[in-house]
Amino acid sequence: NVLRTGNKGAAAATLVLDGAKGAVAVLLARALVGEDAAQVAALCSFLGHLFPVWLGFRGGKGVATFLGTMIALDWRIGLACCATWLMVAVVGRISSLSALVATASASAWLFIFAQGRLLFLVVILTILVYFRHWANIQRLKAGTEPKIGAKKG
């Protein structure tokens, strides 16, 4: 969304900071308490991003935070999701479609990398990403979702 403003620097900073928000929460919880706490921290940081109190519970769509939590939970899954996002973006040139495919692919990556213990968390996060992208899904169905780099007209 920030990229649509045309400010690539702000978009990159937002991506990094939103991802770091989830990753730092996971890494701190894991270091201080353990693996179960890391999953709880992932969910809480994600929910905090989607529904921040200070913004009247109207936050972002959660994709960067999702990716940050996945990288921190298992870097292989996180990077695989990032690669999935990139491949879909290059081919389809639609950011929301890339986000939806990348988050949905996480469940498959869990099994490829034998991390089934994360399935419940990943399914919940994926459902929430889809919920937050409901308007995008409707535009995708209608063929009106904007493409990456398309000029507003």
Side-chain angles (χ1 to χ4, degrees), residues 70-71 73-84 105-119 122:
M70 288 298 105
I71 289 169
L73 288 166
D74 186 310
W75 64 270
R76 301 166 302 170
I77 295 166
L79 292 182
C81 288
C82 290
T84 302
S105 76
S107 295
W109 294 119
L110 291 178
F111 290 105
I112 290 169
F113 293 114
Q115 293 295 326
R117 65 183 172 74
L118 298 172
L119 182 61
V122 167

Side-chain angles (χ1 to χ4, degrees), residues 27-54:
L27 295 172
L28 279 173
R30 178 183 288 142
L32 296 173
V33 183
E35 207 55 45
D36 290 342
Q39 288 192 46
V40 171
L43 178 61
C44 290
S45 67
F46 189 77
L47 289 172
H49 178 79
L50 296 184
F51 309 107
V53 174
W54 55 88

Side-chain angles (χ1 to χ4, degrees), residues 1-20 49 63-65 67 85 95 148-149:
N1 287 340
V2 178
L3 185 56
R4 288 188 187 126
T5 67
N7 189 332
K8 292 179 184 175
T14 301
L15 174 68
V16 169
L17 291 172
D18 284 350
H49 178 79
V63 178
T65 306
L67 294 172
W85 186 96
S95 181
I148 296 170

Side-chain angles (χ1 to χ4, degrees), residues 1 11-12 18 29 42 46 62 65-66 81 88 96 102 105 125-127 129-130 137 143 151:
N1 287 340
D18 284 350
F46 189 77
T65 306
F66 177 91
C81 288
V88 175
S96 61
S105 76
L125 298 183
T126 301
I127 289 168
V129 167
Y130 273 69
I137 293 168
K151 302 288 183 199

